[in-house]
Amino acid sequence: MSAHSHAAQVLLFADYHMKLIGMGIVDGIDGMPSYLETVQILADGSPPPMSILRWWFSMQYEPVGVTPARDFYSLRGQGVQVLSENEILAAQGKRIHTRPSDELNKQFADSFTAHFEEIAKRYPIYEELRNLFDIALILSLVEQEGLREQVGWHGTWFADRNALGLPRMDIPTTVETVVNHRILNRKYLVAGISGGVWID
């Protein structure tokens, strides 16, 4: 995928916007609190432990439907989900993936996934993201099933980026850090900081 394509722009904007919702800077939908809103003082009155959080989009499909003759396929499932994990900060600032998520971190990711349809209606960027995921799965299906060879389609224009003449998008190489905070019990300041978008 070209770093200057519309697809790259959608992946970047959707990921960054999701983090704005998570930090409570942009409204989500009714019944879906931001991550920062769920942080509370512990039962013993101490502040909650804070760690490095990671959220990212991933595909969420059920097995592809197919007819017995394998001449008709259908995509099933929502298509998009948000996953999460906690990270730790090692010496010299290196971030280490731990895989498990704490309860609040996972709660935000699960809530975003559960409310995805409603969020996508409010913010069309997420419908565009789902379209990209659909196209990616369809292209993978075409390749794995040998569908091009079966119908004698060579994909001449689609296989040549220069021949297709797609517009070159100006995609940001840096994004502003997402920062928000809450004051708990008039005593503790809890800050949420998110920065960076990784597209793999």
Side-chain angles (χ1 to χ4, degrees), residues 166-186:
L166 293 175
R168 179 183 173 89
M169 313 293 290
D170 291 326
I171 309 298
T173 56
T174 60
V175 293
E176 291 187 3
T177 301
V178 178
V179 181
N180 203 0
H181 74 280
R182 286 183 61 207
I183 297 177
L184 302 179
N185 206 25
R186 299 184 180 182

